[in-house]
Amino acid sequence: MQEDAPKIAKDAAPTGTQTLLRGLGVVQAVASGARDLKEIARLIGTTRSTTHRLASCLVDERYLRVVPQIGYLLGPKLIELGFQAREELPLVTLAGPYLDQLSALTGDTIHLAIREGDEVLYLHKNPGRNGPEMRSRVGHRMPLARTGIGKALMLDDTQEEWQRLYEVSLPAGGKNQFWPQHPEQSWEQFQQRMLEYVAGGYAFDLEDNEPSIRCVAAPIRDASKRIVAGVSIASTVPYMPLDKMAELIPLIKGVTARLSAELGLKV
């Protein structure tokens, strides 16, 4: 009897609710690859006539479209609503709970940033509990190629673009104002690291920008698989040894994967 309970509850729902659920079922069936009424009806468990009535209504309202020789596809109304949904929920608001979770788990500084031209723009910062406070702040900008989160935002770029961004990030006079003694890595070293990061889907900052600061970063992608933002976990060297950085890779990639799913990325 308990196995039948969900079906009984669904059948007992008000007629309007049943129709709504069935209409959503049609949309979901088409999204999963169903292209004709027979397959849609099989997936949602309705008769062909009911399925035809629901699908026709959805086509009229532009939630579905019918393409000759292909069949039913998702319609332009869903695209419009998708963009509207993304615009109505700012990335910082959406990411906040995930960043708070990372902060609580690690005790390190958490950043959310986007790319603006050749620079990283920090949108959000959860200060860490480990070590001294970092000089990064919301609204702060840094060259992409000098930060872990910037490298994460560069993962889809061509090697030619990597080299351009590497070159524009080099400090004037060849010396980092925050760390004059720090030897700059060569383009070949930078390129090799970027190839490793692309293969792994993450990026590191190994004191590339300022002394004693390391971070692990990963990109956030939208429904089109385009990188739209990045998240990083950062701390000072005593709290961020290399073995800990390796352990943080799956953690941060898991968080950015969930954020990407929130933006519509289908894995």
Side-chain angles (χ1 to χ4, degrees), residues 239-265:
Y239 298 96
M240 193 65 76
L242 294 177
D243 56 349
K244 178 183 175 180
M245 295 180 77
E247 293 171 359
L248 288 175
I249 293 172
L251 176 63
I252 196 168
K253 287 179 65 176
V255 167
T256 54
R258 293 197 296 274
L259 275 167
S260 298
E262 293 270 14
L263 295 180
L265 180 66

Side-chain angles (χ1 to χ4, degrees), residues 9 11 26 38 40 53 66-67 87 95-96 100 111 116 119 121 131 179 193 198 211 226 234 237 239 266:
D11 290 345
V26 172
K38 181 179 179 182
I40 297 171
R53 185 170 68 252
V66 182
V67 178
E87 293 300 321
D100 291 343
H111 294 114
E116 283 207 346
E119 296 179 313
L121 172 63
W179 196 2
R193 283 174 58 184
V198 169
R226 182 175 62 91
V237 170
Y239 298 96
K266 186 175 181 181

Side-chain angles (χ1 to χ4, degrees), residues 1-178:
M1 286 296 292
Q2 287 185 350
E3 292 181 354
D4 294 335
K7 184 177 187 302
I8 293 171
K10 184 175 178 180
D11 290 345
T15 303
T17 302
Q18 286 185 14
T19 302
L20 173 61
L21 292 174
R22 287 173 174 172
L24 292 173
V26 172
V27 172
Q28 291 167 353
V30 173
S32 69
R35 296 289 172 256
D36 56 41
L37 291 174
K38 181 179 179 182
E39 180 63 9
I40 297 171
R42 184 188 70 80
L43 288 174
I44 68 173
T46 54
T47 64
R48 184 182 178 90
S49 61
T50 297
T51 306
H52 181 265
R53 185 170 68 252
L54 291 168
S56 297
C57 179
L58 290 165
V59 169
D60 290 342
E61 296 297 323
R62 301 170 60 241
Y63 288 95
L64 296 180
R65 69 178 99 203
V66 182
V67 178
Q69 280 77 54
I70 296 179
Y72 288 97
L73 295 173
L74 298 179
K77 187 67 174 179
L78 290 173
I79 299 174
E80 296 167 11
L81 291 175
F83 278 107
Q84 184 178 342
R86 188 177 69 178
E87 293 300 321
E88 287 182 353
L89 184 60
L91 181 60
V92 173
T93 303
L94 179 67
Y98 296 92
L99 304 181
D100 291 343
Q101 180 188 37
L102 272 181
S103 180
L105 284 172
T106 67
D108 299 317
T109 298
I110 310 299
H111 294 114
L112 172 72
I114 59 172
R115 178 175 182 167
E116 283 207 346
D118 296 345
E119 296 179 313
V120 169
L121 172 63
Y122 291 97
L123 299 182
H124 183 84
K125 177 182 178 180
N126 284 53
R129 303 184 299 275
N130 299 330
E133 178 62 23
M134 296 182 187
R135 61 187 179 88
S136 59
R137 63 185 186 279
V138 173
H140 188 58
R141 297 172 185 268
M142 290 298 300
L144 283 165
R146 299 205 70 86
T147 66
I149 203 166
K151 295 184 189 78
L153 294 169
M154 294 166 55
L155 291 183
D156 289 350
D157 289 351
T158 65
Q159 294 192 39
E160 290 76 15
E161 178 69 354
W162 289 348
Q163 185 166 13
R164 186 188 71 80
L165 291 167
Y166 163 81
E167 290 172 353
V168 300
S169 76
L170 293 175
K175 292 197 179 290
N176 187 323
Q177 62 173 316
F178 300 106

